Amino acid sequence: MSTYAQHLAQLQRQAEAALARCGFDALLIASGVEKYAFLDDRPYLFQPNPHFKQWLPLTNVPYSWLLLRPGHKPRLVYYQPDDYWHVPPSDPSGEWVELVELIVIGEPGDALDHLKVPGRLAIIGEADAALGELKPNNPTELLNILHFARGRKTAWELEQMRAAQQRAVPAHRAARAAFLAGASELDIHRAYLAASGHTDRDLPYSNIVALNEHAAVLHYQYQDASPPPQSRSFLIDAGAQVNGYAADITRTWSAGDDRFDALLAAMEQAQLALVDEVRAGVDYRDIHLSTHRRVAAILAGQGIVKGMSAEAIVAERISSTFFPHGIGHLIGLQVHDVAGFMTDDSGTTAPKPEGHPFLRLTRKLEPEMVVTIEPGLYFIPTLLRQLRAGPHAGAVDWDAVDHLARFGGVRIEDDVVCRAEGQAPENLTRDAFAEVA
Ligand code: GLY
Ligand code: MN
Ligand code: MN
């Protein structure tokens, strides 16, 4: 059996067990509908229901449905209009075609007759996907079961995620070359797209392409069309996707500066050590707290904070000034994937550590989970102002901060698979970089 067929069989088993547990007879999943700008006829970029694309490698088929029943092949109602304004979804092809009962429709409303089955229905979708009496009810108990399970990837999912890395990494290399050649943020972004073969429509999230001080803006959302007079540093957070599975990769590059290069090297070492902490049984919150200790040690080691131990730098929350986000998150069908706080499939959650409001993952790591490890160290003006006004201002070497602030900051992000107990993690991102080199 192919890995895709195994993946589908596992989803079917999971869905049947979840339906039985929650007292439903069938599961309906809507792919989603086109959404339009207010008072306009321009559709927004279509974002498929992740539950739909988990079953099928189809990311661009609005108004389609999946019907799942115990003991039946998945039924796919596939919307393929006769449209001369747009390119309609292509004729079904690929391994999946044989594994589903396929029904092609030309009008969204035609789906109804193929979806009405007796019994209690669980319907997953957005409210606007409603079709006649089929109104999405998104039962919480059922969603909890499916979302919790999604944390661990199947072999097929891991293949897609490796492929997404292969797609992103040459683009990261092209972006770095463009930076070193003095290109603008916009031209670097173009170089990334060209090398990835993606357009903006295909990216799993908007690229962050930040030169110099812009690297201090965590989700910097613009791309300047003109290059700065001098490009000192470059932070790029950019991914790719394959069959709806995302890569989320950050690299920081320098044009050459002793202080910034020393900081970059220290962060690189810390990031690799943190990746190695991705082990079965480890509480992800501990990796986050470990990051604070490492960032604190770097702040002390680089002379940015003086006269304080790493422990004191963490305890006084100074590390949070420089590293104000979480160490990472689950990734898969969504870049920030669901169920980061669940400790079981019945909806129990684990809290974030006190004082760490932006951590997105508090679960214990299990084999086949894929997480990002993305430590950062930034010089963020608004947070630095607070530090300067606080009781620990005297411990900071402000000349060093002022010098390094011209480089914005550092983030290094890899996507990492947790493996079986006792085994080292699989670093999807570094493996792809090594292969391309
Ligand atoms: N690209 C967004 C993130 O790293 O979480
Ligand atoms: Mn990222
Ligand atoms: Mn990330």
Side-chain angles (χ1 to χ4, degrees):
M1 216 201 271
S2 71
T3 53
Y4 175 70
Q6 287 171 35
H7 169 76
L8 208 59
Q10 177 168 330
L11 291 183
Q12 178 77 27
R13 281 194 302 276
Q14 244 166 37
E16 291 187 7
L19 289 170
R21 230 171 102 184
C22 304
F24 289 104
D25 300 295
L27 171 60
L28 281 169
I29 301 175
S31 67
V33 301
E34 297 266 28
K35 299 178 196 300
Y36 290 85
F38 184 51
L39 301 179
D40 206 332
D41 63 356
R42 286 174 306 125
Y44 292 110
L45 185 60
F46 176 67
Q47 300 288 334
N49 177 351
H51 285 271
F52 184 88
K53 64 175 181 166
Q54 188 179 21
W55 287 77
L56 296 161
L58 299 174
T59 54
N60 227 350
V61 289
Y63 308 102
S64 297
W65 290 79
L66 259 174
L67 168 63
L68 306 153
R69 287 165 297 172
H72 291 259
K73 255 188 180 183
R75 175 181 289 176
L76 172 65
V77 181
Y78 187 84
Y79 174 62
Q80 193 185 30
D82 193 10
D83 181 356
Y84 59 85
W85 291 95
H86 306 100
V87 177
S90 44
D91 287 337
S93 77
E95 186 190 354
W96 60 270
V97 176
E98 298 302 319
L99 298 172
V100 302
E101 179 198 355
L102 181 66
I103 295 167
V104 178
I105 56 168
E107 291 291 335
D110 292 349
L112 195 56
D113 286 344
H114 304 290
L115 301 172
K116 279 196 286 193
V117 290
R120 268 189 88 205
L121 304 182
I123 307 178
I124 300 179
E126 290 182 90
D128 56 9
L131 192 60
E133 71 256 41
L134 301 179
K135 295 189 173 40
N137 51 9
N138 298 310
T140 306
E141 191 188 358
L142 183 96
L143 283 180
N144 280 341
I145 296 170
L146 301 180
H147 284 174
F148 186 73
R150 209 161 105 187
R152 296 179 70 167
K153 270 52 182 180
T154 64
W156 186 78
E157 289 179 304
L158 291 176
E159 285 167 17
Q160 310 318 302
M161 295 188 76
R162 288 187 195 106
Q165 302 285 325
Q166 304 276 349
R167 189 153 196 174
V169 161
H172 269 269
R173 290 166 59 95
R176 176 174 180 260
F179 156 65
L180 292 174
S184 68
E185 291 168 346
L186 182 57
D187 283 335
I188 295 172
H189 176 63
R190 287 189 177 120
Y192 186 94
L193 292 179
S196 67
H198 274 335
T199 71
D200 276 299
R201 299 176 61 85
D202 309 312
L203 294 172
Y205 58 92
S206 300
N207 279 357
I208 298 167
V209 180
L211 292 172
N212 302 341
E213 288 88 346
H214 292 161
V217 183
L218 298 181
H219 283 173
Y220 175 64
Q221 71 273 44
Y222 301 119
Q223 285 134 21
D224 277 352
S226 312
Q230 184 198 21
S231 289
R232 295 178 287 275
S233 61
F234 172 44
L235 184 154
I236 175 164
D237 184 342
Q241 63 171 321
V242 169
N243 288 327
Y245 287 86
D248 178 9
I249 302 171
T250 308
R251 288 293 182 267
T252 307
W253 305 109
S254 164
D257 174 86
D258 288 349
R259 259 204 127 126
F260 185 66
D261 291 355
L263 179 63
L264 203 48
M267 286 298 287
E268 172 86 0
Q269 257 190 5
Q271 197 267 355
L272 287 169
L274 289 162
V275 166
D276 199 55
E277 293 182 24
V278 175
R279 306 266 175 161
V282 167
D283 186 329
Y284 191 81
R285 290 173 293 195
D286 289 337
I287 304 181
H288 177 79
L289 298 174
S290 168
T291 311
H292 274 271
R293 291 191 294 274
R294 293 177 191 279
V295 165
I298 290 170
L299 290 169
Q302 301 290 314
I304 298 167
V305 178
K306 293 181 190 275
M308 284 177 90
S309 66
E311 294 73 33
I313 291 171
V314 174
E316 298 301 324
R317 304 256 160 109
I318 298 172
S319 56
S320 296
T321 296
F322 295 92
F323 171 52
H325 59 74
I327 182 57
H329 48 86
L330 289 167
I331 177 170
L333 289 161
Q334 293 165 234
V335 175
H336 297 157
D337 215 355
V338 291
F341 305 113
M342 297 178 77
T343 54
D344 58 38
D345 68 1
S346 55
T348 318
T349 56
K352 300 169 197 181
E354 172 98 28
H356 298 268
F358 300 118
L359 184 59
R360 289 189 172 95
L361 176 55
T362 58
R363 278 169 81 158
K364 198 170 265 195
L365 296 177
E366 298 173 52
E368 285 86 55
M369 276 186 175
V370 187
V371 300
T372 68
I373 293 293
E374 47 183 305
L377 199 164
Y378 315 87
F379 301 90
I380 301 173
T382 181
L383 299 181
L384 291 171
R385 265 195 296 278
Q386 291 168 28
L387 182 61
R388 210 186 264 266
H392 300 295
V396 176
D397 179 340
W398 292 104
D399 288 340
V401 167
D402 289 343
H403 175 81
L404 288 166
R406 295 158 62 248
F407 300 81
V410 178
R411 178 164 69 255
I412 302 168
E413 175 177 29
D414 292 342
D415 302 342
V416 181
V417 186
C418 179
R419 289 206 277 216
E421 189 111 12
Q423 284 186 32
E426 174 185 354
N427 189 325
L428 296 174
T429 306
R430 303 254 173 187
D431 288 353
F433 268 102
E435 211 166 299
V436 170

